[in-house]
Amino acid sequence: AGVGGQGTLLASKVLGRYAVLCGKDCKLSEVHGMSQRGGSVTTHVRIGDKVHSPVIWAGAADIILAFEVLEAARMKHFLRPGGIMLVNDVKVLPMPCITGAAKYPEGLKEDMLEEINGAFFISAGEMAEEAGSVRSANVVMLGALCRLCGFDREKMTKAIADCVPEKFMELNLKAFSIGYDRVK
């Protein structure tokens, strides 16, 4: 889950490619809000021996990968008990907050850390800047996810290479390594 421009769709494509490289079936589903204006973008990625539907039901997600704090809070009801929620610790103000019609909710991170045993927050944007561009925060998150979940690093690197344009390859592989190496 994220907002337009954060690379939610690319991350889901990389995860889908990773599943195929692992010999698994995979289905993807996308829901776009006003993504070009910073609106919500949500994707579902289902991986298994045989997947019949791309939709993940509330309370059934093993993992939530959220690129923004408010989007994480909006999607937390999808997480199953004992699941993992990895969140980029960044706030992107939605349009109602920008216009003054609403205020960004306070205490979201603290509430999620208290409520969800498997919640992790990282500063993916800062790590991405170290790699060379804040736009690679999505791939930093994939690196962290790979480490947290014990995914095969070589296969995830191959999945990134298969999905990212050549001119951004070095940057994204560096971002992935930073995310992988910094999360324990």
Side-chain angles (χ1 to χ4, degrees):
V3 297
Q6 288 188 303
T8 307
L9 300 178
L10 175 63
S12 66
K13 289 176 186 173
V14 170
L15 288 170
R17 180 68 184 141
Y18 173 77
V20 170
L21 292 171
C22 291
K24 299 291 185 180
D25 189 16
C26 180
K27 301 283 188 283
L28 305 175
S29 174
E30 306 169 358
V31 177
H32 301 267
M34 294 286 288
S35 60
Q36 293 178 343
R37 298 186 182 191
S40 295
V41 177
T42 304
T43 64
H44 291 215
V45 180
R46 291 196 63 196
I47 300 169
D49 292 328
K50 183 64 183 158
V51 178
H52 298 283
S53 168
V55 178
I56 299 170
W57 304 111
D62 294 314
I63 300 165
I64 293 179
L65 187 63
F67 299 109
E68 195 274 337
V69 175
L70 181 57
E71 294 304 318
R74 288 180 178 157
M75 295 295 122
K76 69 182 181 181
H77 69 281
F78 280 97
L79 193 64
R80 70 166 172 76
I84 292 173
M85 177 179 260
L86 177 61
V87 183
N88 182 11
D89 195 3
V90 67
K91 296 176 183 175
V92 177
L93 296 179
M95 194 55 68
C97 294
I98 292 170
T99 64
K103 290 187 178 188
Y104 195 96
E106 294 183 25
L108 294 175
K109 176 181 175 180
E110 295 76 15
D111 290 348
M112 284 184 276
L113 285 169
E114 185 176 314
E115 195 177 320
I116 302 166
N117 192 35
F120 300 89
F121 286 76
I122 66 168
S123 298
E126 291 175 15
M127 291 183 228
E129 284 180 19
E130 287 178 44
S133 173
V134 71
R135 294 192 55 132
S136 64
N138 58 338
V139 181
V140 168
M141 295 286 289
L142 288 173
L145 180 70
C146 186
R147 181 67 173 261
L148 280 173
C149 295
F151 293 168
D152 184 297
R153 184 175 183 164
E154 284 184 36
K155 286 181 182 170
M156 187 66 81
T157 301
K158 170 78 169 112
I160 292 167
D162 289 349
C163 295
V164 172
E166 182 65 37
K167 66 182 179 179
F168 300 117
M169 188 67 59
E170 185 179 333
L171 166 71
N172 281 284
L173 293 178
K174 184 175 182 182
F176 174 80
S177 290
I178 289 172
Y180 186 92
D181 293 339
R182 297 266 177 89
V183 174
K184 306 287 182 201

